[in-house]
Amino acid sequence: MTESNSCSVACNRCGHCCSYMGDVFGIVEKTGQFEYRIQYLITGIMQVVAIDKDKRDIFFNTSILDKHPLACPFLRFDNENLAVCTVHHTRPDLCRMYLCEKCK
Ligand code: SF4
Ligand code: SF4
């Protein structure tokens, strides 16, 4: 998701870009109450992310994984079916660099 990059077209929070990221990185271990070490599956690089304070409730609802088994483990959808990155403040570097097709 590109919620706050320099994209000239706003992200519509469809969640498509995050729906297959479970193939790119995964959770290796829980490192704190709301903190997780993730690892990029190809490079082996690790990074620690933390669930944003205001997204903890939604994070613990994991029903999304039934519908999107390959989704990023931190992707959730709110009551309006808009995608939410629950680790937005500490999101992986790859997500920070991602430039959505809609933004080109
Ligand atoms: S695919 Fe593009 S518009 Fe949809 S959530 Fe990702 S960045 Fe936003
Ligand atoms: S960490 Fe956030 S932005 Fe990155 S794939 Fe997961 S939900 Fe999307």
Side-chain angles (χ1 to χ4, degrees):
M1 258 173 281
T2 55
E3 291 172 44
S4 61
N5 69 5
S6 56
C7 176
S8 58
V9 179
C11 167
N12 66 14
R13 296 174 59 193
C14 67
H16 183 75
C17 57
C18 311
S19 293
Y20 300 93
M21 289 296 277
D23 260 356
V24 177
F25 53 74
I27 294 174
V28 177
E29 62 177 339
K30 190 170 181 177
T31 54
Q33 195 178 1
F34 300 106
E35 210 178 73
Y36 296 86
R37 190 183 316 282
I38 64 156
Q39 182 174 38
Y40 290 90
L41 303 184
I42 292 179
T43 63
I45 292 173
M46 297 200 199
Q47 193 171 340
V48 172
V49 298
I51 309 302
D52 294 347
K53 278 185 185 163
D54 61 342
K55 295 168 188 156
R56 289 173 179 171
D57 287 347
I58 195 173
F59 173 73
F60 287 109
N61 179 350
T62 57
S63 57
I64 177 190
L65 297 173
D66 297 337
K67 197 173 171 188
H68 301 283
L70 293 180
C72 167
F74 305 108
L75 173 66
R76 299 292 183 268
F77 288 89
D78 67 14
N79 291 337
E80 296 176 341
N81 207 30
L82 295 174
V84 175
C85 171
T86 56
V87 293
H88 183 68
H89 290 109
T90 55
R91 66 195 183 283
D93 295 338
L94 185 65
C95 306
R96 292 175 189 274
M97 292 186 292
Y98 178 72
L99 186 58
C100 177
E101 282 291 320
K102 300 171 196 287
C103 301
K104 290 178 181 169

